[in-house]
Amino acid sequence: MAELTEVRAAPAVVPARRRKGGGSAAVVGLPALGLVVALTVWWLVTSVFNLVHPVVLPPPQDVLSAFNAVPARLLEATLATTLETVIGFLLSTVAGVLIGLALASSRLVERMFSPLLVAINAVPKIALGPLLVVSLGWGQKPILTMVFLLCFFPIVLSTATGLTSTPADLAELARSLDASRWQAFRKVRLPAALPQIFVGLKVAMPLAAIGAVIGEFQAGEGGLGYEIVQTSGIGDSATAWAAIILIALMSIVLYFALVLIERLALPWVRETTSSR
């Protein structure tokens, strides 16, 4: 039997060139411009027009001063939250892909467990925080559990959807070549599903950061969420906002690291899809 090759299907018509707006200058310059605009609006609202009380939203210069006052402590907290986010995300990825694979491989399994998964996803996770502390204690275990509960469902859904949405022509090609079930999965179904799986991963990554912070609110002994609780409790809103901004920056870095992994792992996707 002729050996199947992995899916690298190209469209009938490939765009001759992509739009010129995607150059390296635009990739760096436009986000920087957006950041400048956001900081300017923040400064005007808090320092010039005084539309928001400093306790609620301190001026950007106060937040910068708060960070400069305790940079080592905040950076250590950032490292702790980043590790919790990444570990929880990886656990969710492994479990989510395996569960999605099980749902895609058996209609019986899908009908049995899909309602249960939807019910678990619908429960407000913050309501489970105290129960996780009681059952798992303080520290990383309840935090990682919170991360898992928040971000595994998009991975399950995208994996199951991708594996059950193989293009009909590719599936027919595999059958015409007498491919075994494993060969069809490895050479056709999985490569065709990977773009959809990465969609779920990109949805789950920010949720993982949210889960880590919520877990630190409830059971943390360190991390940025813990810093927010401690500093806001004593009225130090500038330091709390410095921690919030570090959470946002951490999430951005992790998200675009995942985008880079996607581009390196799936080089054919950009070549076979039209540009905006």
Side-chain angles (χ1 to χ4, degrees), residues 235-254:
D236 186 6
S237 59
T239 303
W241 272 98
I244 291 171
I245 291 172
L246 287 172
I247 293 170
L249 293 176
M250 176 200 72
S251 300
I252 292 171
V253 170
L254 292 177

Side-chain angles (χ1 to χ4, degrees), residues 49-265:
F49 300 110
N50 296 319
L51 298 177
V52 182
H53 195 280
V55 174
V56 178
L57 179 64
Q61 61 269 21
D62 291 356
V63 175
L64 181 60
S65 298
F67 175 80
N68 290 331
V70 286
R73 191 180 83 194
L74 289 175
L75 291 177
E76 182 181 357
T78 303
L79 178 60
T81 302
T82 302
L83 287 176
E84 292 161 354
T85 301
V86 172
I87 293 173
F89 176 78
L90 292 177
L91 293 174
S92 301
T93 299
V94 173
V97 170
L98 291 177
I99 295 172
L101 178 59
L103 295 179
S105 61
S106 172
R107 187 174 296 274
L108 176 63
V109 172
E110 179 187 6
R111 290 177 177 176
M112 286 179 60
F113 293 106
S114 289
L116 179 60
L117 293 173
V118 172
I120 293 173
N121 185 60
V123 174
K125 304 306 180 293
I126 194 169
L128 299 176
L131 298 176
L132 294 177
V133 174
V134 171
S135 59
L136 300 175
W138 296 86
Q140 281 196 339
K141 288 183 179 179
I143 296 173
L144 294 179
T145 303
M146 183 65 71
V147 174
F148 179 87
L149 290 174
L150 262 174
C151 68
F152 89 102
F153 187 76
I155 302 174
V156 172
L157 186 62
S158 64
T159 301
T161 302
L163 290 173
T164 55
S165 303
T166 306
D169 55 344
L170 295 177
E172 182 61 31
L173 175 63
R175 284 192 293 267
S176 68
L177 294 174
D178 294 327
S180 66
R181 188 171 182 179
W182 167 246
Q183 287 175 320
F185 172 80
R186 185 168 61 93
K187 297 293 187 178
V188 176
R189 291 184 65 195
L190 181 60
L194 283 176
Q196 185 70 35
I197 294 174
F198 268 97
V199 171
L201 294 177
K202 288 186 286 187
V203 171
M205 177 59 81
L207 294 177
I210 295 171
V213 174
I214 292 176
E216 289 169 352
F217 283 168
Q218 302 281 349
E221 299 175 325
L224 293 172
Y226 178 82
E227 288 294 330
I228 293 171
V229 172
Q230 296 298 312
T231 54
S232 60
I234 60 175
D236 186 6
S237 59
T239 303
W241 272 98
I244 291 171
I245 291 172
L246 287 172
I247 293 170
L249 293 176
M250 176 200 72
S251 300
I252 292 171
V253 170
L254 292 177
Y255 178 85
F256 282 102
L258 184 60
V259 170
L260 178 60
I261 292 173
E262 179 187 18
R263 291 190 176 188
L264 294 176

